[in-house]
Amino acid sequence: TLVDLSTVEIIDSFMIYALISARKNAAEVGGKFALVGVGERVRQILEETRLDRVFDVYDTVEDVTG
């Protein structure tokens, strides 16, 4: 599962919970989960909450699909 956050300027606790839940659901069925197009403010929030260590984060979809 790829979640494109390129149009998202900021995330709140509800969205963080939704992303964590989606990642967990993907893992339960053996799927992969990644965030793409993460902007500077969202990346900062992920780093401050240390979720950048939980999620695979890529600049573009092409970076994932190679």
Side-chain angles (χ1 to χ4, degrees):
T1 303
L2 298 179
V3 179
D4 184 353
L5 297 177
S6 61
T7 61
V8 177
E9 295 182 17
I10 193 163
I11 58 175
D12 60 11
S13 59
F14 180 78
M15 187 162 185
I16 290 171
Y17 174 78
L19 291 171
I20 291 170
S21 295
R23 182 186 177 279
K24 179 183 174 193
N25 291 339
E28 286 176 355
V29 297
K32 297 190 178 205
F33 187 89
L35 307 177
V36 297
V38 177
E40 185 178 327
R41 289 179 74 189
V42 173
R43 188 176 299 270
Q44 181 180 9
I45 292 167
L46 292 175
E47 289 171 357
E48 289 174 358
T49 58
R50 298 184 191 236
L51 290 173
D52 61 324
R53 299 175 185 185
V54 174
F55 295 113
D56 293 325
V57 180
Y58 299 90
D59 291 328
T60 67
V61 172
E62 292 78 23
D63 291 338
V64 179
T65 59

